[in-house]
Amino acid sequence: MSGEKKVEQITARDVDFGQWYTDVVKKAGLADYSSVKGCVILRPYAQALWENIRDTLDAMFKATGHENVAMPLFIPESLLQKEKDHVRGFAPEVAWVTHGGAEKLTERLCVRPTSETLFCEHYAHIIHSWRDLPKLYNQWCSVVRWEKTTRPFLRSREFWWQEGHTIHATRQEAMDETLRMLETYVTFAEESLALALVKGRKTDSEKFAGAEETYTMECMMHDGRALQSGTSHFFGDGFARAFDIQFTDRDNKLCYPFQTSWGLSTRIIGGIIMTHGDDNGLVMPPRIAPTQVVVVPVAAHKPGVMEAARSLKETLTAAGLRVRLDDSDQSPGWKFAEHEMKGVPLRAELGPRDIAAGACVLVRRDTGEKRTVQRENLPGAAIALLEEVQQNLRAAALLNLERRTRAAVTMPEMADLAGEGGFIKTMWCGDGHCEDLVYEATGMKSRCIPFQGERLSDSCIACGRPAQDMIYWGFQY
Amino acid sequence: MSGEKKVEQITARDVDFGQWYTDVVKKAGLADYSSVKGCVILRPYAQALWENIRDTLDAMFKATGHENVAMPLFIPESLLQKEKDHVRGFAPEVAWVTHGGAEKLTERLCVRPTSETLFCEHYAHIIHSWRDLPKLYNQWCSVVRWEKTTRPFLRSREFWWQEGHTIHATRQEAMDETLRMLETYVTFAEESLALALVKGRKTDSEKFAGAEETYTMECMMHDGRALQSGTSHFFGDGFARAFDIQFTDRDNKLCYPFQTSWGLSTRIIGGIIMTHGDDNGLVMPPRIAPTQVVVVPVAAHKPGVMEAARSLKETLTAAGLRVRLDDSDQSPGWKFAEHEMKGVPLRAELGPRDIAAGACVLVRRDTGEKRTVQRENLPGAAIALLEEVQQNLRAAALLNLERRTRAAVTMPEMADLAGEGGFIKTMWCGDGHCEDLVYEATGMKSRCIPFQGERLSDSCIACGRPAQDMIYWGFQY
């Protein structure tokens, strides 16, 4: 028999956060590299996490009347070019298909980087009358953007996401939808993923290509950098005009409809890692964890231990928990380290002494706290502990966000604070040129203009002219 | 206000089965065409059906220990070429990516037509010891094959599917898995989709490129043609040798593992349409139907009708049924025709007189039978009727299969029967040349060699030499 597998070590976060991230992705078994640069494989643990994300969000979408569709992978070059801002934003980073089998195509096809153009073409086919509106569509798929620098989950040439595309009879209805979907993302990120974030409107220079307005949630990572984690775009009737989508209203008048799109991707997995992870590896928020409780038998060879472990697993599973029994022949110590690396929120240890005492030991991943629980108090005790872990992760993320959000009124003040990262909030005049000035002085980009900003001073931090809004700045992933 | 929408007419099956199929796909709102030839859009109704198929099959896969992963979309040309039979089979029909943004790639990438090569590359990374085996992986994705002739669902350049890829320590284990997954498909097709089929082994000439053996289920359509609806492949250690995947066994010896793959695609939606549909449109098997019961209020403007319809919907939904209330302002007649076209298995009509009588009318899609049911007998009556519809569809499909399966002993006999389509069973010597002879004489191709064939005669139908097996022949989609 081969020897026991080694417990793998990872770099500490304080030593090298980037290397820590890479170590966690690999050693927790989340992703593997393929031979195409920048394209990763989602291994079973990451895919299970993504499916939990998908199922949770999908239920939220369906509860608000959205329907799923599946659009083609390919966009003809001429279709991509119909909306001018949009093509300018995406053409430089798409992958081009030029041949089908041995034959050269008469027109190049790009692999979708996003599907606005495909939805518009379809909408032009199916929307004729006010009766056909609204359409609230969504799809789950992968998209391709030919990025130069890539990192698993955070920036890859192919990534998985959902893209919602809706179309409405009125401007107001479309704007309401845009904001509703941003709030859906925020609720999901805060409640299911225990992330901490600020939300608001993007500046013109940071908007999505072709959008009138882009709204975003920006999550604060452990190292003080921000992660744009979900965006919702309001298109007005720009795409409808470019693609000639029109409908007859109730008064028999031809009108252009109004559109939105909104997306959340596997990038959010990077956000989970970098918000909750620690020097022992991943820490999964219980509500989304692929495995919520791992049962580890101790002295598994002794009579009755495996049977008791199996029965414990069944008890917890029957209560609706996602449970795994590790019945491999590795040592308990190896298993403890392995499931810590994978961030399983709760470990249930069970050995002969526990069995004799009618108990098991529950160990929290976040605090390491051990608690001996009588079997008759399960699964209630496990459910309560999981909820405590969820709340604790959320509180820690919020504390990090709070600690890392500072205000600045002058540029020297801001340049001084910028060294520590985090969000810096300042006043801003609304001019893109001042964003450039801030970037040159601090390396920070605008993250978003919150819906309700504070009044920190009367003048723009960069130019001193009258301030229009409060704005968040930060270093970004 | 615009006028009421028209009830759309479709071609009768007996007049033109191909046109009937095209009409149903369009008028039931299943698919729309995109501007890329051969690439379709799955509209919400088809996507909802596909998600029910996915969720049902996925639960069957997970119950047998399979895990989902997500593999990249792209395969470098050199990787595709590693297994010689495989590349010969697929290279002529792949789409090639040659440019990323403005840059020409140093190596062409094909858009995956199937992912054996990607799984093999990954397995070579992660499999080292007997402890790493087996891996039972699956993925849900779309794949691309540059077909010349396309039809929605049946043959398209992009289609959605699942592809299982497993790897095992022994030949026997891999063969067991190959057959287990064929049986999983058969159980699903018969029990959830009410299809009628024969199953067995493909001849060498019909095997998957790179497989030692391919197993298939072949469903019989209403018009007498066969639809290959799910296949399971045994690779032996051929791919492992080509990709240099090796593991150390318990005796510390280096060995090649054994592999399988198996797939079922959106093609099966074509099978559902062509098995159960009738001249009024689709007929959905209740167990997989996106909507199982549609509630249609009659005289909806009268007081209390909409409230009663909503309450009826809630009663049925609470019982676990998938229910839709059609509260649009179309007429009841239009709604009846529309939901017949969509094949909703059961319609619940509810008007003032029904409400006064404390009843509603349930109408079966398959037989048109109406039954007045007291409200206190719901949802039990609806659940029982849905089960009757399911069994009736299955019985009708089986009857069609039986009626269309005939035996032949001589070539003139077979040529005579072939005009009516269906399955023709004959004896066969095992020589591919005789498949060519049968094709030339009848236009039929071999479908499969069943696991337990009958002994119809002693000699091959084509060459007269001693027969090895009984075999099914048929025209195919």
Side-chain angles (χ1 to χ4, degrees), chain A residues 1-5 32-36 39-45 47-48 51 54-55 58 62 67-76 79 91-103 105 108-109 111-112 118 121-122 125-126 129-132 135 137 140 142 144 146 148 157-158 160 248-252 328-330, chain B residues 1-5 32-36 39-45 47-48 51 54-55 58 62 67-76 79 91-103 105 108-109 111-112 118 121-122 125-126 129-132 135 137 140 142 144 146 148 157-158 160 248-252 328-330:
Chain A
M1 253 176 57
S2 314
E4 170 160 300
K5 289 193 180 188
D32 186 25
Y33 297 93
S34 83
S35 55
V36 179
C39 288
V40 297
I41 293 159
L42 300 190
R43 299 191 63 188
Y45 198 53
Q47 178 64 22
E51 289 182 13
R54 178 193 72 186
D55 292 346
D58 201 65
K62 284 180 177 157
E67 298 179 295
N68 287 340
V69 297
M71 285 282 158
L73 183 61
F74 299 124
I75 306 173
L79 190 67
E93 56 173 34
V94 297
W96 291 105
V97 172
T98 55
H99 289 75
E103 224 167 284
L105 304 181
R108 296 200 298 178
L109 307 173
V111 181
R112 64 179 165 221
L118 294 164
E121 185 186 41
H122 180 51
H125 291 170
I126 63 167
S129 126
W130 61 272
R131 286 178 184 279
D132 301 319
K135 295 287 183 220
Y137 286 173
W140 294 89
S142 74
V144 169
W146 219 251
K148 298 259 180 258
R157 285 185 169 174
E158 180 186 16
W160 291 264
T248 1
D249 69 7
R250 283 169 191 254
D251 304 321
N252 230 12
S328 70
D329 61 357
Q330 306 286 352
Chain B
M1 254 174 58
S2 313
E4 171 160 300
K5 289 192 182 192
D32 186 25
Y33 297 93
S34 83
S35 55
V36 179
C39 288
V40 297
I41 293 158
L42 301 190
R43 299 191 63 189
Y45 199 51
Q47 178 63 21
E51 288 182 13
R54 178 194 70 186
D55 292 345
D58 201 65
K62 283 180 178 159
E67 299 179 295
N68 286 340
V69 297
M71 285 282 158
L73 183 61
F74 299 123
I75 306 173
L79 190 67
E93 55 172 36
V94 296
W96 291 105
V97 172
T98 56
H99 289 76
E103 223 166 285
L105 304 181
R108 297 200 299 178
L109 307 173
V111 181
R112 64 178 165 222
L118 294 165
E121 185 186 42
H122 180 51
H125 290 171
I126 63 167
S129 125
W130 61 271
R131 286 177 184 278
D132 302 318
K135 295 286 183 221
Y137 285 173
W140 295 89
S142 75
V144 169
W146 219 250
K148 298 260 180 253
R157 285 185 169 173
E158 180 185 15
W160 291 265
T248 2
D249 70 5
R250 284 169 191 256
D251 304 322
N252 230 11
S328 69
D329 61 358
Q330 306 285 351

Side-chain angles (χ1 to χ4, degrees), chain A residues 37-267:
Chain A
K37 185 190 167 319
C39 288
V40 297
I41 293 159
L42 300 190
R43 299 191 63 188
Y45 198 53
Q47 178 64 22
L49 175 61
W50 181 239
E51 289 182 13
N52 286 349
I53 291 170
R54 178 193 72 186
D55 292 346
T56 308
L57 262 181
D58 201 65
M60 295 172 87
F61 297 158
K62 284 180 177 157
T64 42
H66 298 83
E67 298 179 295
N68 287 340
V69 297
M71 285 282 158
L73 183 61
F74 299 124
I75 306 173
E77 187 163 15
S78 56
L79 190 67
L80 188 68
Q81 288 173 339
K82 279 203 170 180
E83 211 287 335
K84 293 306 165 198
D85 290 332
H86 189 66
V87 69
R88 254 198 303 280
F90 284 103
E93 56 173 34
V94 297
W96 291 105
V97 172
T98 55
H99 289 75
E103 224 167 284
K104 187 162 195 253
L105 304 181
T106 53
E107 180 181 13
R108 296 200 298 178
L109 307 173
C110 83
V111 181
R112 64 179 165 221
T114 180
S115 306
E116 277 73 12
T117 54
L118 294 164
F119 276 89
C120 283
E121 185 186 41
H122 180 51
Y123 286 144
H125 291 170
I126 63 167
I127 288 168
H128 310 292
S129 126
W130 61 272
R131 286 178 184 279
D132 301 319
L133 292 172
K135 295 287 183 220
L136 308 176
Y137 286 173
N138 175 63
Q139 78 169 340
W140 294 89
C141 63
S142 74
V143 289
V144 169
R145 298 179 188 174
W146 219 251
E147 307 272 3
K148 298 259 180 258
T149 321
T150 61
R151 302 189 68 186
F153 304 118
L154 299 177
R155 196 169 293 277
S156 51
R157 285 185 169 174
E158 180 186 16
F159 58 89
W160 291 264
W161 76 347
Q162 59 69 220
E163 46 178 326
H165 295 265
T166 71
I167 184 160
H168 308 263
T170 69
R171 174 172 283 272
Q172 185 61 47
E173 211 184 295
M175 181 52 91
D176 290 347
E177 167 81 6
T178 311
L179 295 173
R180 180 184 310 119
M181 297 324 289
L182 179 72
E183 284 308 322
T184 301
Y185 288 154
V186 167
T187 302
F188 172 70
E190 293 184 338
E191 295 186 2
S192 296
L193 309 183
L195 300 179
L197 56 89
V198 298
K199 63 187 179 186
R201 181 167 49 88
K202 283 283 188 192
T203 63
D204 281 349
S205 60
E206 296 284 321
K207 277 185 339 190
F208 180 82
E212 275 191 24
E213 296 291 357
T214 287
Y215 299 89
T216 181
M217 64 175 180
E218 303 277 325
C219 296
M220 180 45 60
M221 303 293 103
H222 176 78
D223 68 339
R225 286 167 78 181
L227 186 75
Q228 179 179 308
S229 305
T231 48
S232 186
H233 315 293
F234 173 72
F235 291 128
D237 59 4
F239 273 93
R241 287 177 186 273
F243 285 82
D244 202 25
I245 311 169
Q246 287 187 290
F247 72 98
T248 1
D249 69 7
R250 283 169 191 254
D251 304 321
N252 230 12
K253 209 176 60 185
L254 262 184
C255 308
Y256 288 106
F258 297 84
Q259 286 171 265
T260 83
S261 82
W262 26 278
L264 181 145
S265 78
T266 38
R267 185 158 226 240

Side-chain angles (χ1 to χ4, degrees), chain A residues 230-418:
Chain A
T231 48
S232 186
H233 315 293
F234 173 72
F235 291 128
D237 59 4
F239 273 93
R241 287 177 186 273
F243 285 82
D244 202 25
I245 311 169
Q246 287 187 290
F247 72 98
T248 1
D249 69 7
R250 283 169 191 254
D251 304 321
N252 230 12
K253 209 176 60 185
L254 262 184
C255 308
Y256 288 106
F258 297 84
Q259 286 171 265
T260 83
S261 82
W262 26 278
L264 181 145
S265 78
T266 38
R267 185 158 226 240
I268 202 101
I269 294 177
I272 295 171
I273 300 170
M274 293 193 296
T275 299
H276 303 304
D278 65 20
D279 289 350
N280 295 320
L282 270 179
V283 180
M284 286 278 187
R287 291 192 191 155
I288 211 77
T291 303
Q292 295 174 309
V293 187
V294 60
V295 176
V296 178
V298 178
H301 57 283
K302 296 236 171 118
V305 172
M306 281 311 298
E307 291 74 5
R310 265 182 225 113
S311 139
L312 178 58
K313 181 196 166 180
E314 276 159 30
T315 304
L316 296 172
T317 304
L321 297 178
R322 297 185 289 274
V323 187
R324 207 189 124 184
L325 166 64
D326 188 341
D327 56 4
S328 70
D329 61 357
Q330 306 286 352
S331 72
W334 186 90
K335 292 179 186 179
F336 294 171
E338 169 74 4
H339 300 293
E340 264 173 23
M341 180 71 74
K342 284 180 158 346
V344 179
L346 214 54
R347 177 172 81 227
E349 302 175 12
L350 190 69
R353 250 179 300 178
D354 306 304
I355 296 168
C360 74
V361 178
L362 297 181
V363 187
R364 283 172 66 158
R365 172 62 182 86
D366 58 338
T367 59
E369 185 201 334
K370 293 187 176 205
R371 193 176 298 183
T372 301
V373 174
Q374 290 302 116
R375 281 292 297 262
E376 65 263 29
N377 295 333
L378 288 175
I383 292 171
L385 272 175
L386 286 170
E387 190 50 30
E388 277 181 45
V389 174
Q390 181 84 26
Q391 297 311 333
N392 182 46
L393 293 182
R394 168 85 175 127
L398 272 177
L399 190 66
N400 182 53
L401 171 66
E402 213 170 280
R403 206 170 53 85
R404 289 192 174 280
T405 305
R406 274 102 26 101
V409 173
T410 66
M411 281 292 269
E413 225 174 63
M414 180 170 178
D416 196 43
L417 290 175

Side-chain angles (χ1 to χ4, degrees), chain B residues 182 185-191 194-200 216-220 227 229 268 394 397-398 401 405 423 448 472:
Chain B
L182 179 72
Y185 288 153
V186 167
T187 302
F188 172 70
E190 293 185 336
E191 296 186 1
L195 300 179
L197 56 90
V198 298
K199 63 187 179 185
T216 181
M217 63 176 181
E218 304 276 324
C219 296
M220 180 46 60
L227 186 75
S229 306
I268 202 102
R394 169 86 174 127
L398 271 177
L401 171 66
T405 305
F423 287 130
C448 68
Y472 286 105

